[in-house]
Amino acid sequence: MTTCPVAGRPWTGRMRTAALRRGLVWPAGFSTWTWAGARRYHERHGRDRRVLEKLRASIPRDGIREPLLLGVRAADRFVFVFEGHHRAVIVLELGVRSFPFRWFWDPDVQAVEHEPFPHHALGPVGQAWLCQQEARS
């Protein structure tokens, strides 16, 4: 995965964590397609459990260092986490209010977008789920 730069910087935004709970942003690749299912999966596997433990310690101290990567399916505007499931599970657990993200159009998984997130994909009040939009290095 590569990033498309905006004046040399990739586009990054922040989204309210409640969007994960409200079923606006789904966990990709889990048979249950729920965040509770993603958590159960990670807690059952040793390597994943260790990643969760490290994130439980580091996120309160350092914040989220790597943005989640969201995919937006072009056909129906379905929004899902492509990379960052461990981080998403922990921000939900810890009650973190928002998380940084980047996004791409699916199925064109070639580059992270340099355009602002299509807030309408989150429904009629989609803009309310975004905290800020900015280009960052």
Side-chain angles (χ1 to χ4, degrees), residues 6-94:
V6 175
R9 299 173 291 178
W11 187 90
T12 302
R14 289 193 76 81
M15 185 176 293
R16 297 180 197 292
T17 304
L20 301 173
R21 285 190 297 271
R22 300 281 171 101
L24 299 174
V25 180
W26 297 87
F30 291 90
S31 60
T32 60
W33 284 91
T34 67
W35 288 108
R39 162 178 268 146
R40 282 191 302 274
Y41 175 86
H42 290 321
E43 292 289 355
R44 282 191 300 237
H45 296 86
R47 179 199 159 284
D48 292 310
R49 190 171 44 256
R50 286 188 294 277
V51 170
L52 293 180
E53 290 168 3
K54 287 180 183 178
L55 290 170
R56 277 186 191 104
S58 70
I59 288 176
R61 183 183 62 236
D62 305 325
I64 302 167
R65 291 177 264 163
E66 182 67 27
L68 279 68
L69 181 59
L70 305 182
V72 180
R73 223 165 34 200
D76 57 8
R77 304 299 192 254
F78 179 76
V79 182
F80 59 94
V81 172
F82 183 76
E83 288 180 3
H85 292 90
H86 295 93
R87 284 167 274 155
V89 164
I90 295 302
V91 299
L92 283 166
E93 176 184 310
L94 296 177

Side-chain angles (χ1 to χ4, degrees), residues 76-132:
D76 57 8
R77 304 299 192 254
F78 179 76
V79 182
F80 59 94
V81 172
F82 183 76
E83 288 180 3
H85 292 90
H86 295 93
R87 284 167 274 155
V89 164
I90 295 302
V91 299
L92 283 166
E93 176 184 310
L94 296 177
V96 175
R97 297 188 73 164
S98 67
F99 59 89
F101 74 95
R102 294 191 177 136
W103 73 282
F104 67 93
W105 284 111
D106 182 52
D108 183 27
V109 189
Q110 295 179 8
V112 174
E113 293 294 328
H114 61 278
E115 299 294 324
F117 182 80
H119 61 85
H120 58 278
L122 297 174
V125 294
Q127 187 68 38
W129 295 102
L130 302 179
C131 299
Q132 66 188 48

